[in-house]
Amino acid sequence: HSLREVYIELFDTLDESLTNALQRDVDKYAPGINIIAARVTKPIIPETIRENYERMEAERTELLIASERQKVVEKIAETERLKATIVAEKQANVSSVNMQKKLIEKQAYQKIKAIEDANHIRHQKAMADANLYMQKQKAQANTLKLTSQYLQKQTYDVLQGTPKVYFTSKISDVLNDAPNQKRRR
């Protein structure tokens, strides 16, 4: 045992330990004797040993304090690292969520654009189909309408509206002939 253990830490149990050790030895070598109690007073330690002990204890205490301070500093540094790690993870998660949000927005925009483009193409196709149908109907109507009688009537109508020039020596022949032309029609 060390001086510290004997003088400080275990001194209060020394009486009981001594009594038990003595009783064992007495039972072994001189049966019938009962040890009731044993009392040990604290020994007087020489001054030089006491001073050395106190100095060592002071150094030991300082070492324990320094060790505890170092542990506290390490714990603080570890806590700061953990905080920094948590903040970095949080920022990474926020960044990931923002990127995912932007990706979803872009995908939604692309889907909307695709739908708008498809609608535009359908509208243009419908307009082209309607125009083609109208042209076919006009062509069919013109085919039915452009008969030889209709063309002949159109020729007469066009000729009637055009000015006529007569070359004659007498104006009276032209004037007398004009009422006859109206009757022929």
Side-chain angles (χ1 to χ4, degrees):
H1 292 287
S2 69
L3 181 61
R4 176 180 177 77
E5 289 176 339
V6 171
Y7 196 71
I8 297 173
E9 294 173 1
L10 300 177
F11 188 78
D12 59 341
T13 61
L14 185 62
D15 291 343
E16 292 171 18
S17 297
L18 184 60
T19 303
N20 291 337
L22 286 174
Q23 186 63 53
R24 268 193 317 263
D25 288 344
V26 167
D27 288 344
K28 186 176 180 184
Y29 298 111
I33 299 175
N34 248 353
I35 307 263
I36 298 174
R39 178 83 180 135
V40 178
T41 59
K42 276 194 175 186
I44 298 174
I45 300 172
E47 190 64 31
T48 56
I49 294 175
R50 188 182 60 78
E51 287 174 359
N52 284 341
Y53 176 76
E54 287 177 357
R55 190 172 50 251
M56 285 178 21
E57 280 299 309
E59 289 175 6
R60 183 174 172 261
T61 304
E62 288 176 13
L63 182 64
L64 286 174
I65 290 172
S67 174
E68 290 300 316
R69 281 186 188 144
Q70 184 178 0
K71 287 179 184 177
V72 168
V73 168
E74 288 174 359
K75 285 290 184 183
I76 289 172
E78 184 179 341
T79 304
E80 291 299 320
R81 276 194 308 273
L82 288 175
K83 283 181 183 179
T85 303
I86 290 170
V87 167
E89 287 175 358
K90 181 180 173 184
Q91 288 175 345
N93 289 340
V94 168
S95 177
S96 174
V97 167
N98 286 338
M99 291 297 287
Q100 191 71 18
K101 180 182 170 186
K102 286 181 181 179
L103 179 65
I104 290 170
E105 287 175 358
K106 286 203 181 246
Q107 288 174 344
Y109 176 75
Q110 287 175 344
K111 286 179 183 177
I112 290 170
K113 198 68 174 152
I115 291 170
E116 287 175 352
D117 290 346
N119 284 341
H120 181 69
I121 289 170
R122 268 189 260 123
H123 177 71
Q124 292 296 324
K125 187 175 179 183
M127 293 296 286
D129 288 345
N131 194 15
L132 177 66
Y133 178 75
M134 187 175 72
Q135 294 296 329
K136 283 182 181 178
Q137 291 298 322
K138 279 184 180 180
Q140 197 175 27
N142 285 340
T143 305
L144 295 174
K145 188 164 114 177
L146 295 176
T147 61
S148 60
Q149 296 150 346
Y150 178 75
L151 291 173
Q152 197 173 26
K153 180 188 175 296
Q154 287 293 2
T155 305
Y156 289 141
D157 287 344
V158 168
L159 288 176
Q160 182 182 8
T162 57
K164 296 173 182 73
V165 178
Y166 297 99
F167 298 99
T168 175
S169 56
K170 297 184 194 174
I171 292 187
S172 62
D173 288 340
V174 175
L175 293 176
N176 288 336
D177 193 33
N180 291 338
Q181 280 183 350
K182 285 185 183 177
R183 271 187 263 148
R184 281 189 225 156
R185 282 194 200 165

